[in-house]
Amino acid sequence: MNLFNPSSGHQPRRLRRHPAMRRMLREHHLRAADFILPVFLVEGEGVRTEISSMPGVFRHSIDSALQLCAEAVARGVSGVLLFGVLEEHCKDATGSASWDAEGLVQRAIRAIRSGYPQLLIIADACFCEYTAHGHCGVLDAGGDRDDYATLENLQRQAISYAEAGVDVVAPSGMVDGMVMAIREALDAARHPQVSILSYAVKYASAFYGPFRDAADSAPQFGDRKGYQMDPANRREAFREMALDIQEGCDMVMVKPAMAYLDIIRDLRERCDLPVLAYQVSGEYSMLQAAARAGWLDLQSSVLESLLGIKRAGSDAIITYYALAAADWLG
């Protein structure tokens, strides 16, 4: 059937002429509740240090992060995603500081839980911010990641987060078997209520550059292409997602977002679990730089980028623009 018939008299533009018509017929919507705000935590008091490659994004001490949480609650943002940024002398070969009951993230979880119980608290579960070598786990003698040893540490990390009061553990290291290991550990430790948001589909992306400045997590040698996905692969994303669902994750994530909208759509069509997307640091920094140069209108371009991620099929979006976008949406 030829759907386009010039003689039909149909003019799609008639449905776009009036602002009320456009609002009424809009197919997808953004809400503040769609957003999760990443938060970079550092030790100290009253610390709020801007990240040079991410203008407008800061590292926060816990007291400063609490102010940020207050802003998130006031705007209706759903949750925060916590990353610990450690000083060099606190790092070691295994990232043991990450499962310290009095660690930076654990103390932040308790403080946010006490002050803002309405906010969803998600904690990133990985080791690149905690290891001296900057890789996402324990390394073997050859410098490759030892996944079995890393899984044991992931279990320790997840339990410590749960005992601090986290709502969601979000493993991001692309360790085979990570979801099953964490689920078993949480259930055995009597934390069945804690959800797992798996970074099921995480590509080895060039768009992570500014994050590595923010989290001080650049690998000291090599790269992460041995465990993160090849950006050229599409079918592999479904296999990764299927494995994590079989292992018991509650939500799946695609990271980054902008260059992987087809992958978000694929996952949306193939599973009924919530699908989240992470608008990563490089996406943020590009939009900021273009807007500061006067080449793009920041508000319009950010909202359009977020709407594109939502239209692709994402249920929620992790974005550094969470507070600003919530303001713009009113």
Side-chain angles (χ1 to χ4, degrees):
M1 180 175 66
N2 183 4
L3 294 178
F4 179 68
N5 182 358
S7 65
S8 69
H10 180 62
Q11 294 183 11
R13 191 183 173 198
R14 283 198 289 263
L15 300 181
R16 303 176 192 141
R17 297 185 69 89
H18 196 289
M21 181 76 85
R22 293 196 294 272
R23 288 195 298 272
M24 182 181 74
L25 299 180
R26 191 161 290 152
E27 298 177 20
H28 299 276
H29 299 268
L30 287 172
R31 310 165 301 156
D34 293 328
F35 305 137
I36 296 165
L37 177 67
V39 178
F40 298 106
L41 298 163
V42 294
E43 295 286 2
E45 291 186 10
V47 179
R48 186 174 179 270
T49 307
E50 189 170 35
I51 298 158
S52 60
S53 56
M54 301 178 70
V57 177
F58 298 81
R59 293 176 172 177
H60 296 270
S61 54
I62 292 176
D63 58 328
S64 176
L66 289 174
Q67 297 175 24
L68 198 65
C69 289
E71 295 179 35
V73 169
R75 288 165 171 78
V77 170
S78 286
V80 289
L81 173 59
L82 304 180
F83 297 92
V85 183
L86 266 64
E87 297 173 359
E88 287 300 320
H89 70 273
C90 298
K91 300 180 180 181
D92 59 23
T94 62
S96 62
S98 69
W99 60 82
D100 183 347
E102 294 302 319
L104 179 60
V105 171
Q106 287 82 353
R107 283 181 280 128
I109 291 170
R110 288 195 290 270
I112 297 169
R113 171 64 59 224
S114 174
Y116 302 97
Q118 64 274 61
L119 204 57
L120 189 68
I121 306 173
I122 307 171
D124 179 79
C126 194
F127 299 99
C128 53
E129 304 103 311
Y130 299 92
T131 52
H133 46 68
H135 281 279
C136 303
V138 180
L139 300 184
D140 61 22
D144 194 12
R145 192 176 65 189
D146 182 336
D147 280 358
Y148 292 106
T150 300
L151 288 176
E152 293 180 6
N153 292 343
L154 264 177
Q155 292 179 316
R156 297 186 179 100
Q157 193 180 48
I159 291 172
S160 73
Y161 288 165
E163 292 176 345
V166 81
D167 296 297
V168 183
V169 173
S172 62
M174 294 294 285
V175 187
D176 291 342
M178 63 185 184
V179 173
M180 182 183 295
I182 291 173
R183 186 71 273 160
E184 289 178 353
L186 290 174
D187 291 349
R190 299 181 182 278
H191 296 294
Q193 78 284 359
V194 175
S195 302
I196 298 176
L197 164 60
S198 174
Y199 287 62
V201 180
K202 181 178 181 180
Y203 285 91
S205 172
F207 290 101
Y208 300 150
F211 176 91
R212 290 168 183 163
D213 290 341
D216 193 19
S217 63
Q220 296 301 304
F221 59 88
D223 54 42
R224 297 180 178 126
K225 294 179 180 177
Y227 39 97
Q228 295 179 354
M229 285 179 53
D230 185 335
N233 290 354
R234 185 174 181 180
R235 295 190 302 271
E236 184 184 15
F238 180 63
R239 294 199 298 274
E240 288 281 0
M241 177 193 70
L243 283 169
D244 283 4
I245 292 174
Q246 290 169 8
E247 292 178 15
C249 73
D250 301 284
M251 298 172 279
V252 295
M253 184 201 298
V254 177
K255 179 183 180 182
M258 178 190 68
Y260 301 88
L261 298 177
D262 58 327
I263 306 301
I264 297 172
R265 169 53 58 185
D266 281 351
L267 267 59
R268 174 70 291 149
E269 291 180 346
R270 297 187 182 202
C271 84
D272 56 7
L273 287 183
V275 175
L276 277 64
Y278 196 146
Q279 185 186 49
V280 300
S281 56
E283 298 173 64
Y284 173 88
S285 297
M286 284 195 305
L287 289 167
Q288 285 291 105
R292 290 191 172 205
W295 299 334
L296 286 176
D297 176 76
L298 185 65
Q299 176 176 337
S300 299
S301 54
V302 167
L303 291 178
E304 185 175 336
S305 69
L306 294 171
L307 190 59
I309 298 167
K310 190 82 182 291
R311 191 182 63 246
S314 179
D315 294 289
I317 305 167
I318 300 165
T319 172
Y320 301 96
Y321 285 112
L323 298 183
D327 278 340
W328 294 329
L329 292 170

